[in-house]
Amino acid sequence: MARVYNFSAGPAVLPQVVLQRAAQEMLDYQGCGLSVMEMSHRGKTFEGIIANAEKDLRELMAIPVNYKVLFLQGGASLQFTMVPLNLMVKSKKADYVHTGAWSKKAITEAKKIGQVNIVASSEPDKFTCIPDLSKAKFSPDADYVYIVTNNTIEGTVYQTVPNTGNVPLVADMSSNILCESVDVAKFGLIFAGAQKNIGPAGLTVVIVREDLIGKAAGLAAMLDYKVHADDGSMFNTPPCYAIYIAGLVFEWLKAKGGLTAMAEYNRKKAKVLYDYIDQSKLFKSPVKKENRSLMNVPFIIGDEKKEEAFLAEASKKGLKTLKGHRSVGGMRASIYNAMPIEGVQALVNFMAEFEAKNK
Ligand code: PMP
């Protein structure tokens, strides 16, 4: 059976070797005589799986020892609520940078819990860039500053991590975690839904500085980072199978040379696509050059009929899920870590073919 090139924004492409390994281990995980899906999370075997996954993630991201790694559920969306519940504990105020659909949802949820100050917004630019933060009026007493490092729908990324001084920086890294190295120490909390660069949906990874947790009183246990941290992400049954696959993805990343090598590969891949778009007379990138994402590449023709024809023909060629998000239209190629450069090349070859026929 031929595998297609899957450009979905998430759930997204996974490394083929990871899927093959999972298939091999499906019926009998390393001589246990059962699959990872069927085993107790309290048993030695699963304890080993989750411990290894955490160890490899710590190694890949060079996570300092004073940070907890949590394997949670509820998607990245639950973090829109857990972050303010756990962190809005002193002034009950937080600064948010508004860069698109996902910051909007986070802002909506945070407003239900405390005071939200929008310090900068790229809405006037239709979210085609990251706003200039040099003139933003951050509140010195904010409990945290919140950013979305990579905007999955709009295709924008921060070039530098904002310096928020003593105010902890919280980052939604759902769509660019593990695509390159980041200095974790610059953040108070990082979270990411797994279904892009980590593994299957159902798992959310939270990396949080120890001193930020356990400060909110009276939280429901499932919403309290401290409870999950104290129980090693085993307060209740964790998403075992998703953690196992994430562990295989981390092993794959290490075998590929870690995040430095992955970043180089991702830059090479994205360049193939952006270079083609920039010289094209038919396709355009709506995103300001300095904020172009390495992971999510939106592009447009500006003629709906031609865009529909492009998507239909691309699909027939095995280039799948290239439709832009329903809120922005056009096309979007998500080219996460597991998308091979051959997939990007195949897309560009098809774009050239389509352009030649649609001058
Ligand atoms: N944040 C970002 C940046 C996302 O791309 C997404 C989902 N694609 C979410 C949050 C929401 O994630 P979930 O569906 O896991 O709640």
Side-chain angles (χ1 to χ4, degrees), residues 9 74-78 80 102 148 150 152 172 174-175 191 193 195-196:
S77 298
L78 185 58
F80 301 164
W102 293 112
V148 181
N150 184 83
T152 325
D172 176 353
S174 294
S175 48
F191 69 85
Q195 64 272 23
K196 297 152 197 314

Side-chain angles (χ1 to χ4, degrees), residues 2 31 36 43 50 90-91 101 120 133 137 144 160 170 173 177 182 193 196 211 223 252 262 285 295 324 339 345 353:
V36 175
I50 194 169
K90 287 185 211 140
S91 64
L133 296 181
K137 286 204 173 61
Y144 60 89
T160 50
V170 172
M173 267 188 208
I177 193 165
V182 291
K196 297 152 197 314
D211 62 291
L223 299 177
W252 171 79
M262 196 37 77
S285 159
M295 297 283 98
M339 171 59 67
Q345 199 56 62
E353 204 181 290

